[in-house]
Amino acid sequence: MFKLLMIQADLATASDTLAQAQDGISTKFIDLAFKGGWIMIPIIALSIIAVYIFFDRYFAIKKAGKFDTGLLEKIKVYITNGKIDDAVMLCRSSSNPASRMLEKGISRIGRPLTDVSAAIENVGNLEISKLEKGLPVLASVAGGAPMLGFLGTVMGMIQAFYDMSNAGNNIDVTLLSTGIYQAMVTTVAGLIVGIIAYFAYNILVANVEKVVFKMEATTTEFMDLLNEPV
């Protein structure tokens, strides 16, 4: 029983030590961030913007990629039976880019196929532009954050050399710490934000391309449906 109590006491002590270490790491990280100077403010702002754009676009693109594969078969039945209005309502019940393209194409049935294809293509371009909303900003964050970090590095080194010149022969390592901290912290922060934004941008672009492929495949099948002999 005594050994069990000793083990529990050791575990409690270890837990307290780990919590203190974690608090120390968090405090140290915050302190390092403040050492980066005012240049850390735009870098942190860019990181927040990048995270917001990524999650907003990721879920929007994921939702746009959900398409009922049996929709075209149902549309074919409606069109064959001359129920154009029912086909349009069916497309409206499925809110995604492909169904909106089909809705536009169905509304143009009776016109030349080139007009139908052009109408579908126009809607498709608008839908793609909606999916890509925010991606240029994310790409700018990927390129701009490291540049801000390097700007902080240059400013920090200038501060360090300025302090050295003012110190004369009384140069001390602690005297240079402010400039060196700013130089290193901003570089690391800028690179971290830039790398994350870069990978986030490429993930979103890849997902958009998948949705575009589905849209093109759906358009091709629909045009083949209109070209089928009655």
Side-chain angles (χ1 to χ4, degrees), residues 61 65 204-216:
I61 295 169
L204 294 179
V205 168
N207 289 340
V208 169
E209 289 179 352
K210 292 179 181 178
V211 176
V212 171
F213 176 78
K214 290 182 180 180
M215 293 167 60
E216 292 176 347

Side-chain angles (χ1 to χ4, degrees), residues 60-138:
I61 295 169
K62 186 176 181 181
K63 181 180 178 181
K66 295 180 179 180
F67 179 70
D68 184 8
T69 55
L71 183 64
L72 273 174
E73 291 298 326
K74 297 176 183 177
I75 290 174
K76 180 179 180 179
V77 173
Y78 282 134
I79 293 176
T80 303
N81 295 328
K83 299 179 179 179
I84 304 300
D85 292 337
D86 291 338
V88 171
M89 294 302 298
L90 179 62
C91 292
R92 290 178 180 175
S93 65
S94 179
S95 179
N96 58 67
S99 63
R100 285 189 283 270
M101 292 170 60
L102 291 176
E103 178 187 348
K104 179 61 69 174
I106 294 170
S107 65
R108 293 294 189 272
I109 289 179
R111 298 185 181 183
L113 293 180
T114 54
D115 293 346
V116 176
S117 178
I120 293 175
E121 184 177 353
N122 291 335
V123 174
N125 291 333
L126 292 175
E127 294 295 335
I128 293 172
S129 65
K130 291 179 183 177
L131 294 177
E132 294 178 343
K133 179 183 177 182
L135 294 188
V137 176
L138 190 58

Side-chain angles (χ1 to χ4, degrees), residues 41-52:
I41 296 175
I43 292 177
I44 294 174
L46 289 179
S47 68
I48 295 173
I49 293 172
V51 171
Y52 171 77

